[in-house]
Amino acid sequence: MRIPVSEVTPQTKEAEIMGWVHEVRDLGGLAFFLIRDRTGIIQVTIPKKKVEESVLSIIKEVSRESMVRVRGQVKAIDKAPGGRELIPDTFEIISRSDSPMPLDVVEKVPAELDTRLDSRFLDARRPRVSAVFEIRSAVMQAVHEFLFHKGFMHISTPKIVAAATEGGTELFPIAYFEKEAFLNQSPQLYKQMLMGAGFEKVFEIGPIFRAEEHNTTKHLNEATSIDVEVSFSDHNDVMKLLEELIVHVYRFVDDNCQMPLQNIEIGDFTVPESPFPRLAYREAIEIASAKTGELFEYGDDIGTAAEKAIGVEMGGHYFIVDWPTEIKPYYAMPYDHDPSVCKAFDLMHPRMELSSGAQRVHQHDLLVRQIASKGLNPDNFEFYLTPFRYGMPPHAGWGLGAERLVMTMLGLSNIREAVLFPRDRHRLVP
Ligand code: ATP
Ligand code: MN
């Protein structure tokens, strides 16, 4: 029976392994094969004089990255990786690899990101790439565990919708029988409606679709959003939840992913410390103006250049709070004492925005006014507005981009590195 390569130790007597041909070295009387599976690498040593003719003929045929099965005797040997080697009794090619390959798995030639993404299955055979996805998986596990532990209910909301969450041009229209429909840009409206259903604490981890026009290193057209919504909570409560979650996720990765972290060559993986500083929007634009030399006025958006300048100043994760109501979505709750400022926040990593959230408007009439004040037609939001007429609890929540979380955690330079099969303006295949 096949066992993982990592389970073959110098003490093992016999083993059957399956894996990819990582390297071939033929030294005349001796041939060496390095065989790789997801757990590691083992050397298969073939003393040509001592093996069956059938084995000899096969080793002549085998190409790199072919899938092979080897059964044989294990010998302890210091020079080989893992301190052991396998001397084959049988050596079978299960599935041959064509050559040349579209991508060099052994990475003697570093490839462009585009080439790598075109052959993602080969790219992901490289430990430094698969490590990213092992860590991404651990991040998802940690998020689920954290939120379930806090009593959250997991929900799934529709991705085919009739109305835009926030209006705007970022929507993908789709053909839906005889109706106009779109891919959902956020579960916002649905998770809020479920506050009206009495679900109290919900989360969803699912795709969001945005027709981002520009190709940037931090935008995808299909991204994964970690969304939560909590009743009887305000913006401060859910900021606390968010910073706790971030710290938990980093700690989980630190505790469980040392091998993949080594493979990505992250020297010092540091778990951020909470609480994260809170920076008022007004202070944020002052820092941006001082550091960029560009003048930011109250009410301006904080763009990429400003984000970076403030990030350098802050040095770690931080929140931007107390945003002008005017530049945040209609569902953000204005302060009582000054309705021109709202209870919205962004969680920032020094490199970019990770999450946006707010205490939400739960009063029906105020919500209608705010929708109208954004130039949207409240009639298009009737399905969303109705629950606000039948006892809506106060609530707050946020949406956190999973790829940005992984990207900033691992210092990846392009968000596409954090997705197996990214979707961007030019990429629809594979
Ligand atoms: P940005 O201003 O950086 O484009 P946003 O403010 O438009 O982001 P939100 O609508 O606040 O994004 O969405 C919440 C979170 O979802 C963002 O903070 C980000 O982490 C993630 N996100 C949003 N759009 C994208 C995208 N196109 N690609 C990847 N992640 C995204
Ligand atoms: Mn945002």
Side-chain angles (χ1 to χ4, degrees):
M1 212 195 40
R2 173 260 172 185
I3 58 169
V5 159
S6 64
E7 287 177 20
V8 185
T9 70
Q11 287 75 45
T12 310
K13 292 208 164 59
E14 278 187 331
E16 176 181 318
I17 55 116
M18 291 181 79
W20 290 269
V21 176
H22 188 69
E23 228 180 271
V24 185
R25 245 176 306 149
D26 196 337
L27 303 183
L30 272 180
F32 297 100
F33 288 77
L34 295 183
I35 309 294
R36 183 192 75 240
D37 69 13
R38 75 187 283 245
T39 68
I41 283 183
I42 188 166
Q43 175 174 303
V44 172
T45 305
I46 304 179
K48 288 193 188 164
K49 290 213 179 91
K50 292 189 195 155
V51 295
E52 302 269 328
E53 186 55 39
S54 61
V55 172
L56 273 184
S57 62
I58 279 181
I59 60 174
K60 280 195 206 110
E61 275 170 47
V62 70
S63 52
R64 268 178 46 210
E65 293 304 315
S66 292
M67 168 55 53
V68 298
R69 174 160 51 210
V70 184
R71 187 154 9 100
Q73 314 299 314
V74 181
K75 277 200 346 208
I77 169 171
D78 286 344
K79 284 178 290 182
R84 79 299 194 225
E85 64 180 358
L86 188 59
I87 316 290
D89 296 325
T90 63
F91 191 118
E92 293 164 78
I93 302 174
I94 302 297
S95 168
R96 247 186 76 86
S97 173
D98 280 353
S99 55
M101 289 178 285
L103 190 75
D104 189 0
V105 174
V106 188
E107 208 176 6
K108 276 169 189 140
V109 193
E112 296 290 329
L113 182 58
D114 256 334
T115 313
R116 290 175 42 210
L117 293 175
D118 286 341
S119 299
R120 194 55 143 164
F121 74 99
L122 279 178
D123 184 46
R125 286 186 191 176
R126 296 153 59 214
R128 73 153 62 223
V129 175
S130 62
V132 171
F133 296 100
E134 275 174 54
I135 293 170
R136 181 178 161 132
S137 169
V139 166
M140 292 308 193
Q141 184 186 347
V143 170
H144 276 97
E145 284 176 3
F146 177 86
L147 291 172
F148 280 134
H149 185 75
K150 294 262 182 198
F152 279 75
M153 182 198 270
H154 179 270
I155 55 162
S156 300
T157 64
K159 304 306 155 207
I160 302 176
V161 297
T165 310
E166 292 169 34
T169 52
E170 286 185 355
L171 280 170
F172 285 113
I174 58 165
Y176 192 72
F177 306 107
E178 51 288 325
K179 289 207 173 74
E180 178 180 58
F182 304 95
L183 292 176
N184 207 6
Q185 59 191 164
S186 148
Q188 181 67 28
L189 307 187
Y190 290 92
K191 58 180 185 166
Q192 284 194 264
M193 285 192 281
L194 292 170
M195 298 297 99
F199 284 11
E200 198 167 322
K201 296 171 165 188
V202 300
F203 80 103
E204 174 164 20
I205 301 180
I208 56 171
F209 303 93
R210 306 212 176 175
E212 309 277 1
E213 263 198 74
H214 306 290
N215 254 324
T216 78
T217 54
K218 60 174 189 181
H219 289 98
L220 296 160
N221 292 117
E222 178 176 349
T224 309
S225 180
I226 301 164
D227 263 274
V228 313
E229 204 64 31
V230 195
S231 288
F232 315 115
S233 280
D234 66 13
H235 53 306
N236 288 315
D237 298 327
V238 293
M239 275 194 274
K240 228 175 125 220
L241 178 76
L242 180 52
E243 67 194 352
E244 244 184 83
L245 172 87
I246 298 286
V247 170
H248 172 79
V249 167
Y250 269 77
R251 195 169 289 141
F252 187 89
V253 167
D254 198 29
D255 289 346
N256 295 283
C257 302
Q258 280 308 317
M259 264 303 278
L261 285 172
Q262 273 176 37
N263 284 333
I264 309 177
E265 286 162 27
I266 294 189
D268 58 334
F269 183 81
T270 36
V271 179
E273 272 178 45
S274 65
F276 303 153
R278 271 73 167 155
L279 188 67
Y281 165 86
R282 189 182 284 284
E283 301 167 80
I285 55 165
E286 274 166 21
I287 296 174
S289 298
K291 299 284 160 186
T292 61
E294 197 186 325
L295 182 65
F296 287 88
E297 311 238 26
Y298 190 85
D300 284 351
D301 266 325
I302 298 181
T304 302
E307 227 169 60
K308 287 204 172 128
I310 305 165
V312 170
E313 185 73 9
M314 300 302 290
H317 290 84
Y318 65 101
F319 285 103
I320 303 179
V321 300
D322 298 346
W323 287 75
T325 305
E326 204 192 330
I327 59 171
K328 279 291 179 188
Y330 56 81
Y331 47 75
M333 177 75 101
Y335 280 101
D336 280 337
H337 66 271
D338 179 1
S340 74
V341 183
C342 69
K343 300 182 182 179
F345 58 85
D346 278 6
L347 171 66
M348 309 296 295
H349 177 274
R351 290 173 63 196
M352 71 191 77
E353 177 191 319
L354 296 182
S355 171
S356 287
Q359 182 182 335
R360 321 299 191 185
V361 176
H362 62 272
Q363 305 92 327
H364 176 270
D365 295 356
L366 176 59
L367 193 52
V368 171
R369 283 202 300 279
Q370 298 222 132
I371 289 176
S373 78
K374 299 282 174 192
L376 299 167
N377 182 354
D379 294 346
N380 295 339
F381 292 86
E382 202 187 327
F383 74 97
Y384 164 67
L385 286 167
T386 304
F388 290 81
R389 292 166 48 211
Y390 297 93
M392 181 60 85
H395 58 281
W398 40 256
L400 166 65
E403 287 82 15
R404 289 197 188 172
L405 176 59
V406 171
M407 174 189 185
T408 51
M409 174 184 278
L410 303 181
L412 307 175
S413 58
N414 192 316
I415 195 167
R416 291 161 184 77
E417 299 268 9
V419 199
L420 282 166
F421 300 104
R423 288 291 171 262
D424 64 31
R425 181 122 197 190
H426 305 293
R427 186 168 284 282
L428 194 52
V429 177

